[in-house]
Amino acid sequence: MDKLALRLLLSERRASITPESQGLSRPTRQGRRARGLSQAQIDQILHRAPDTYGRLESGRYPNPPVDLLQDVARLFRMNEQEWIALWRYALGQDPPRPLDFRSGEELPGVWQEILAGVSHPAYINDRSWNVLAHNAPFAALFPRRRVPANAMRWMTVEPAARTLLTDWETAWAPLVLPQLRVALAADPSDKTLCAIEQDVLADPVAARLYESASAYSHLDGDERPLRHPSLGAGWVTMCAAQPLAAPGSRLIVLVFHPGARRRRGRAPSLRARADD
C-alpha cells in the first residue's frame, strides 16, 4: 500500500464532487469551508459505517473490499487509469476488470492519425477483437481493401484467412485460438467472443485445433508466414501494445519481411543505456 499516493488521489477526487450534486449541503460550522464532500458525507452516500471512507483515504484500511473501491471510484467518477491507480495504491495490484464494462470499446480519435503515420500494416482492436481503427497498409492486405469487422472471427473461421495466413493450421491457428480462450476467461459474458467460440466449435478443423491448442500464447514479437497480396510470400513480426485509454484493447503492428524463408535470428532486445 502506498498511503501517501492513495491519500492524494482520493482527497483530490473527493474535492471535485460538490455536496450539492449529491443532494447534500455543506457543513455550516465556522472556519474555512473545505472543497467537495466530507469524509462523513461519503460514508452517508455509500451507506457505510462511520469512518469507513476515512480509514480508506488515510491508508488505515488494510485490504479494502472490492465493492468499497468500486463504489468510491464510481462516486468520484474515476476514469480507467485512476481506477487502476486506486487498486495499485490500496492493494498493490491491478484490478481484475475495468470500472466501466464498456471500457475498451472506444478510443480517442487521435489514434486514427497515429495509425496513418505508421508505414507498416497496423490496426487497433477492442477487448472483443472488433477492429476500431486501421491504416491503409493494413487494408491493402484484404481483397478490395475490405477490412473485417472482427479480427478474431476472421483469423479463426473465415476461409479467406487461410489463404492470406500461410500454413494456417500449423503456424497461425495454434497461436491465435489460445488468445480467444484467454479473452473468454477474462470475460465469459462477452457476447461477441462467445459467438466466435460457437463458430469455432462448429468448424471441424478449427474445433479440433481449439480443443488441442496450448493454454496461452502471446502476440508480441511472434513471427508468422503471410502471403502479401502485392509483395508475395513473406513473414510478419507481430508487435502488440495496449492504448491506456481503452483497457483490453490492442494495437497490433505487422512488420512484413518478404521472402520464403524466416529471417535468421531476431533483432536484439532494446535496453536502457547505462550512464557513463
Side-chain angles (χ1 to χ4, degrees):
M1 175 183 289
D2 189 329
K3 294 184 179 181
L4 176 59
L6 180 63
R7 179 175 60 81
L8 291 174
L9 172 66
L10 291 177
S11 61
E12 180 179 297
R13 297 302 298 133
R14 176 166 61 88
S16 69
I17 308 297
T18 65
E20 293 82 359
S21 69
Q22 304 298 315
L24 301 174
S25 58
R26 294 180 183 274
T28 57
R29 63 179 180 270
Q30 294 181 347
R32 184 176 64 85
R33 294 171 59 177
R35 295 185 301 131
L37 293 168
S38 69
Q39 294 181 356
Q41 286 175 327
I42 293 176
D43 289 330
Q44 178 184 349
I45 294 169
L46 299 183
H47 305 289
R48 301 280 177 167
D51 197 37
T52 297
Y53 175 78
R55 291 169 58 208
L56 176 65
E57 185 175 304
S58 64
R60 293 180 288 115
Y61 201 143
N63 300 314
V66 173
D67 61 331
L68 174 60
L69 296 180
Q70 184 172 277
D71 288 347
V72 169
R74 287 177 174 167
L75 174 63
F76 289 177
R77 306 186 190 104
M78 287 186 172
N79 59 37
E80 295 299 335
Q81 294 311 302
E82 290 169 330
W83 171 240
I84 293 172
L86 175 61
W87 269 75
R88 289 178 178 176
Y89 297 154
L91 293 171
Q93 63 187 63
D94 285 346
R97 62 186 64 88
L99 179 62
D100 186 341
F101 73 92
R102 294 167 297 183
S103 294
E105 295 180 355
E106 59 181 33
L107 282 170
V110 68
W111 276 101
Q112 184 60 67
E113 297 181 44
I114 294 171
L115 289 175
V118 177
S119 60
H120 302 291
Y123 71 98
I124 299 175
N125 61 253
D126 67 11
R127 60 180 183 173
S128 302
W129 288 80
N130 296 308
V131 177
L132 297 179
H134 60 83
N135 62 6
F138 182 71
L141 295 175
F142 304 94
R144 299 186 297 279
R145 296 180 174 267
R146 296 182 63 178
V147 174
N150 186 284
M152 178 60 71
R153 181 185 298 279
W154 185 83
M155 288 188 292
T156 54
V157 299
E158 289 294 332
R162 302 178 191 187
T163 300
L164 177 68
L165 308 179
T166 308
D167 298 333
W168 179 84
E169 284 194 37
T170 56
W172 286 87
L175 300 173
V176 172
L177 290 168
Q179 294 166 32
L180 174 60
R181 192 183 299 279
V182 169
L184 275 169
D187 187 0
S189 64
D190 188 301
K191 294 181 179 179
T192 299
L193 296 175
C194 288
I196 295 173
E197 183 182 48
Q198 291 304 308
D199 290 341
V200 167
L201 295 175
D203 182 307
V205 177
R208 172 175 54 82
L209 295 171
Y210 186 56
E211 292 168 356
S212 63
S214 62
Y216 180 71
S217 176
H218 68 87
L219 278 172
D220 203 20
D222 191 30
E223 195 170 46
R224 306 176 192 173
L226 181 143
R227 179 169 296 280
H228 196 286
S230 58
L231 300 178
W235 296 79
V236 289
T237 302
M238 313 288 290
C239 299
Q242 180 181 310
L244 295 180
S249 66
R250 292 185 187 184
L251 163 65
I252 309 294
V253 181
L254 311 175
V255 182
F256 182 77
H257 304 281
R261 296 185 179 181
R262 186 195 301 260
R263 293 185 306 164
R264 293 184 178 179
R266 295 190 176 185
S269 299
L270 302 178
R271 298 178 180 271
R273 186 174 60 186
D275 294 333
D276 294 334

